[in-house]
Amino acid sequence: MEKTDAFQRLVRSAKQNWKKSLLPIGLLAAFFIGTKLLDGNLTSASIHEANEPELGAFPIVAPTLKWGFAIDTFNVQEAVIENNQFFGDVLTAQGVDYVTIESLVKAADNVFDVRNWRVGKPYFFLSKEGKEQPDYLIYEPSVFVYYVFDITNKKVEKVERPITSVAKASSGVIESSLWNAMIDGGMSYELADKMEDALQWSIDFHHTQKGDKFKLYYDEQYIDGEVVGIGNLHAALYKSGDTEFNAIYFDDKEHPGFYDVDGRPMNKGFLRAPVKFSRISSHYNPKRFHPILKRVRPHLGTDYAAPYGTPILAVGDGVVLEATRRGGNGNFVKLKHNETYSTQYLHMKKFADGIRPGVHVKQGQVIGYVGSTGLA
């Protein structure tokens, strides 16, 4: 009984002091376990009292990490670079001396050119409580990378955020324009640009038609679960009417680029001649004497002589801008190949089936037949 009374007094003492120190709790637990093992006659009341008070759990909260720091332990100041505000300006405003600034600029020599400090980009100062100057400057020029300026130790580090790529496939049908179809389908302008790069030698994206279809296979990039951009475009398909264009990216280390399904490069330039089995009957000549008009008149093209009815071929992928009969040109087709080049085909006997404005054609496709309409 004497042992039990001593134990109860210890319990009461520990109850009064447990909030001040964890040591009595440890002693109480050890004493209680030892006493229980030595004396099995402890009353249930003693045991119940020994289990009080309920101390509960002591939660451990994970710190908030950003830029590799537990930012909960810092005072954080955020700002953006303003016009005519240079790297040294923001540091001196925080009380950083010129010697330290010069040391940071030297430390950044092969890491970051402080002249590339850009207006509108965010930066952050991290400061410990009571410090006269910040401990760190963080500069974030893009979501992909940030720079850590360790002001105390005069060090600079470039940190590239890890990117996760996820394979995606997207498709759409044009109702008004390609851009509207892509944006309505949740696709980005960046993806539209990559699609245009892949198919620029086959498609004139300024002359798309309602009902045209496209499909794209590409990588979407994520940082910390957020979409940050488009990675590689692996393949693109574009279908206009019955004509289908495919671009598949292939890198053999010597000739990387987009190829069609037959392995031919998409950027394949132009055919050397629009007709087979032909000869040049008249070259480009700004001072040519016209054989029919009997006067000097510039000849701004090249004439090919071929048997009547010989198929005329598109020298490159493009879109039909005109297919009509026009004065001295006779039956005339104009193709636009890209923003720089267009070609014209004159004096045709007739147009090939389906050749009309807005239609996409492939390199080598028949667009008409040799004739002598107009001044030919």
Side-chain angles (χ1 to χ4, degrees):
M1 188 63 181
E2 188 178 78
K3 188 184 296 183
T4 302
D5 290 340
F7 174 69
Q8 290 175 342
R9 285 196 299 273
L10 180 58
V11 168
R12 285 192 293 271
S13 176
K15 287 169 70 175
Q16 294 171 358
N17 298 305
W18 73 272
K19 290 183 179 179
K20 298 181 180 178
S21 171
L22 292 178
L23 180 59
I25 299 171
L27 291 173
L28 172 61
F31 184 84
F32 172 66
I33 294 169
T35 304
K36 185 173 174 70
L37 291 174
L38 294 171
D39 188 350
N41 298 318
L42 286 175
T43 64
S44 59
S46 303
I47 295 173
H48 177 72
E49 190 171 10
N51 286 333
E52 292 181 353
E54 288 188 9
L55 302 180
F58 292 87
I60 299 175
V61 179
T64 301
L65 294 177
K66 192 169 185 178
W67 309 300
F69 297 98
I71 59 171
D72 298 336
T73 63
F74 290 92
N75 292 323
V76 181
Q77 298 180 61
E78 178 180 357
V80 296
I81 303 168
E82 299 176 356
N83 283 322
N84 300 317
Q85 187 179 47
F86 299 97
F87 177 75
D89 297 336
V90 299
L91 289 166
T92 53
Q94 293 291 323
V96 180
D97 60 76
Y98 290 109
V99 174
T100 299
I101 293 173
E102 185 178 355
S103 297
L104 285 170
V105 172
K106 280 186 178 179
D109 188 36
N110 295 317
V111 181
F112 174 72
D113 186 345
V114 296
R115 292 173 298 180
N116 290 330
W117 187 257
R118 292 289 179 254
V119 172
K121 297 298 182 181
Y123 64 91
F124 308 81
F125 280 112
L126 307 185
S127 307
K128 287 289 187 181
E129 194 69 41
K131 294 288 288 291
E132 292 184 359
Q133 67 178 29
D135 296 279
Y136 300 96
L137 165 64
I138 312 295
Y139 173 54
E140 225 172 26
S142 77
V143 70
F144 299 101
V145 65
Y146 61 88
Y147 296 87
V148 179
F149 293 82
D150 184 338
I151 298 171
T152 303
N153 298 304
K154 303 174 181 62
K155 295 179 180 179
V156 182
E157 179 185 9
K158 176 183 179 181
V159 182
E160 295 182 0
R161 288 190 170 99
I163 299 172
T164 301
S165 292
V166 178
K168 293 277 187 176
S170 296
S171 60
V173 179
I174 295 175
E175 294 295 331
S176 57
S177 71
L178 172 65
W179 317 112
N180 287 342
M182 296 192 79
I183 299 306
D184 291 345
M187 292 166 265
S188 67
Y189 287 110
E190 184 182 4
L191 182 58
D193 286 341
K194 289 181 179 289
M195 177 182 180
E196 186 168 352
D197 286 343
L199 293 167
Q200 63 181 323
W201 289 92
S202 301
I203 305 294
D204 179 359
F205 289 102
H206 297 286
H207 293 84
T208 56
Q209 298 188 95
K210 184 177 181 179
D212 287 1
K213 301 176 181 179
F214 63 90
K215 190 165 187 177
L216 305 168
Y217 298 90
Y218 59 97
D219 291 332
E220 196 165 58
Q221 296 179 325
Y222 292 78
I223 291 179
D224 297 332
E226 297 290 330
V227 178
V228 295
I230 303 299
N232 294 323
L233 176 65
H234 299 293
L237 177 149
Y238 192 94
K239 188 172 184 181
S240 179
D242 295 328
T243 306
E244 187 174 291
F245 301 90
N246 294 276
I248 302 166
Y249 189 81
F250 178 73
D251 186 358
D252 63 354
K253 306 304 180 184
E254 292 185 13
H255 305 96
F258 286 95
Y259 294 79
D260 65 18
V261 292
D262 296 317
R264 295 172 298 198
M266 296 300 294
N267 185 357
K268 48 188 174 289
F270 300 102
L271 297 177
R272 300 184 71 174
V275 287
K276 297 179 179 179
F277 316 112
S278 64
R279 62 179 176 83
I280 295 176
S281 59
S282 181
H283 290 273
Y284 176 95
N285 185 351
K287 296 182 179 181
R288 187 187 71 158
F289 182 81
H290 196 282
I292 296 177
L293 299 178
K294 305 301 181 182
R295 59 184 174 85
V296 173
R297 184 179 182 182
H299 186 240
L300 305 179
T302 300
D303 287 346
Y304 291 87
Y308 202 78
T310 298
I312 298 173
L313 312 178
V315 297
D317 296 343
V319 63
V320 178
L321 292 184
E322 294 181 63
T324 187
R325 189 178 182 99
R326 183 196 290 177
N329 291 338
N331 290 328
F332 161 87
V333 169
K334 183 175 182 179
L335 301 181
K336 182 177 181 180
H337 302 286
N338 53 39
E339 289 301 309
T340 304
Y341 298 106
S342 62
T343 53
Q344 302 178 63
Y345 309 79
L346 287 59
H347 311 307
M348 293 181 175
K349 173 186 176 183
K350 64 176 183 177
F351 308 124
D353 291 342
I355 298 301
R356 60 184 181 277
V359 169
H360 291 274
V361 296
K362 287 187 173 183
Q363 184 181 64
Q365 181 177 334
V366 177
I367 58 174
Y369 301 89
V370 171
S372 57
T373 55
L375 293 176

